[in-house]
Structure formats: structure tokens, C-alpha cells
Amino acid sequence: MDKKIFFIAAVVAALAAVIIYNLYSIVSLKQTVVVNNLPVKVKDIAENQIVPEKKDPITPVPVFGLPLEQAEERITKKKFGQYITSQNSPVQPEKFRGYHTGTDFEIFLEELNANVPVQAICDGKIALKKTATGYGGILVENCELDNQLITVIYGHLKLASIAKKAGDTLAKGEEIGILGKAFSAETSGERKHLHLGVHKGSAVDIRGYVQKEAELANWLDAVRNMFL
Ligand SMILES: [Zn+2]
């Protein structure tokens, strides 16, 4: 082959290679890639070495377990902090008056004559298990929430169904017993439901209602630490 033609061909081929390479670079630099879950232009990384900081996603984690199956659907009557009177109460007739210190979990229609198991919402130790006016069977558990001592009040339980006694430990999710029978001594004459209260500190205060709104500060809304 003629040396001159070969040289020209080589130069043309080299130029073509350079042009193709540059075109490819321009196109590819405009592309975005995903770095640490964020889209970044390849160009930015190539020119500035910018790599976005990885941010930890904030994922709320429910701390408390569910006291009953399908717990969220059961909150249809008295919520935490609600001011109840005989006139405005969703429960009629109503004998209580005051700020509700807990959350009520209702039963489904088909559960009226069925055993409805109640589970511990946290790991803890049983502080109290007795019959109390306004509740029927009640169990109080000492737990911790964010390194703070709390007591959890489970009201309207069938006391005879609770195998464990004061001083025994409960694990989160463990079955405590079953709900008391509707309008019987097991519920202190109330409808069949669970009253769940969370009181700050280790002192036992089983009041289901307080008369001053400021007193609610001694209780916590369990639901806020239960669902996502
Ligand atoms: Zn209640």
C-alpha cells in the first residue's frame, strides 16, 4: 500500500476515534446516575467530584405492641384526653365525667360472647392485679418508654383469666388474659372493651378520668407510640 494513503487513512481513523469518544463523553456526562438514593449528573461528579451526602431516612418505629388484634380499628369511642360528660359521651348512658386518661379499644360485634385476648404492649413487670371500682379486673404493668419509667393500665379484664400475678414479668406481645364479660362484675358493669392507660413514673394511679386538663400531663397517649 502507498505509504501516503496509509498515513492519511491512519490520521482520519484517529480523528474519527477522537470525535466519537468526545461525543460519547458529552452524551454520557449528561446522564444521571443514582448515588446514595439521589439522582446526580455524571457531569457534576466528573467535574466537581460532588457526591451527595447520604441522609438516613427517618423511619418511625412503633414502640408499643398491639393490646388487641386490629387495635387501630377498635378506637371508635373514647380517645386519650377527650373530655367526657353524660351529655357528650359516645357511650350512653354515661356515668363518668372528666378527661379520659387512656384510650378505649372496642370489641367487634361478633366478639360479644367470644374470648377476646389482651396482649402486653411492652416488656415489664406486673405491679398490680385486682378488682377495682369502675374497671372490674385491672392489671398494671411497670415498663420503660425512652428510658423513662411508665405504668400501663389494662382495664376491664376478666381477672380469673390472668394466670400471672404481681411481681411476674410480661413480654411485649404476651397474652395477659381476656376481656371481662359485658355489663358484669368483670367489667364493673361497663360494656366489654379495653381501657388502656399509660401513666408516667412508677407510681400506680389507675384513675380513668381526671378533672383538670393539666393533670393529663401525667399520662401519655399510648396510641402515639403504637402505630406508624
Ligand atoms: Zn376508658
Side-chain angles (χ1 to χ4, degrees):
M1 195 189 281
D2 186 284
K3 277 185 182 172
K4 201 174 176 183
I5 291 171
F6 179 79
F7 177 74
I8 290 166
V11 168
V12 168
L15 281 172
V18 168
I19 289 164
I20 288 166
Y21 174 77
N22 280 324
L23 279 174
Y24 173 76
S25 298
I26 288 163
V27 170
S28 63
L29 285 174
K30 280 185 178 167
Q31 289 177 339
T32 52
V33 292
V34 175
V35 180
N36 290 343
N37 293 322
L38 293 167
V40 182
K41 282 201 169 115
V42 170
K43 184 169 165 285
D44 289 337
I45 295 177
E47 288 178 357
N48 307 313
Q49 290 294 304
I50 294 170
V51 177
E53 269 180 50
K54 185 169 186 175
K55 287 186 180 140
D56 287 330
I58 299 161
T59 311
V61 178
V63 180
F64 291 142
L66 302 182
L68 297 158
E69 276 181 13
Q70 294 171 268
E72 201 166 7
E73 293 167 49
R74 297 175 185 270
I75 307 167
T76 57
K77 290 193 163 75
K78 297 181 193 171
K79 296 184 172 69
F80 173 79
Q82 201 171 337
Y83 188 70
I84 300 291
T85 69
S86 56
Q87 284 80 41
N88 76 3
S89 179
V91 176
Q92 292 295 333
E94 179 62 79
K95 64 183 179 192
F96 298 110
R97 183 184 190 90
Y99 295 92
H100 195 227
T101 59
T103 304
D104 283 351
F105 295 85
E106 306 303 320
I107 55 161
F108 299 120
L109 212 55
E110 64 274 18
E111 291 174 329
L112 188 60
N113 296 308
N115 289 346
V116 180
V118 176
Q119 281 85 234
I121 65 165
C122 44
D123 294 328
K125 195 178 258 192
I126 299 172
L128 181 84
K129 174 184 138 179
K130 68 170 188 177
T131 298
T133 308
Y135 284 112
I138 188 171
L139 183 136
V140 180
E141 181 189 13
N142 289 122
C143 293
E144 274 186 24
L145 178 69
D146 300 331
N147 299 316
Q148 303 289 312
L149 294 174
I150 55 166
T151 60
V152 181
I153 295 125
Y154 305 85
H156 312 295
L157 305 181
K158 179 179 181 172
L159 216 57
S161 72
I162 305 171
K164 290 198 168 174
K165 58 187 189 306
D168 289 347
T169 55
L170 285 169
K172 177 178 166 180
E174 182 180 339
E175 185 176 324
I176 298 171
I178 60 172
L179 286 181
K181 187 176 164 61
F183 309 108
S184 74
E186 292 172 8
T187 57
S188 195
E190 293 292 308
R191 71 194 188 286
K192 186 175 179 177
H193 73 285
L194 174 71
H195 171 95
L196 182 78
V198 178
H199 187 253
K200 293 180 187 171
S202 58
V204 174
D205 186 340
I206 64 168
R207 285 181 295 164
Y209 298 84
V210 288
Q211 298 312 310
K212 293 191 184 112
E213 192 174 8
E215 288 182 275
L216 279 177
N218 296 321
W219 274 267
L220 294 168
D221 184 355
V223 168
R224 294 186 65 176
N225 293 289
M226 194 172 286
F227 309 114
L228 282 179

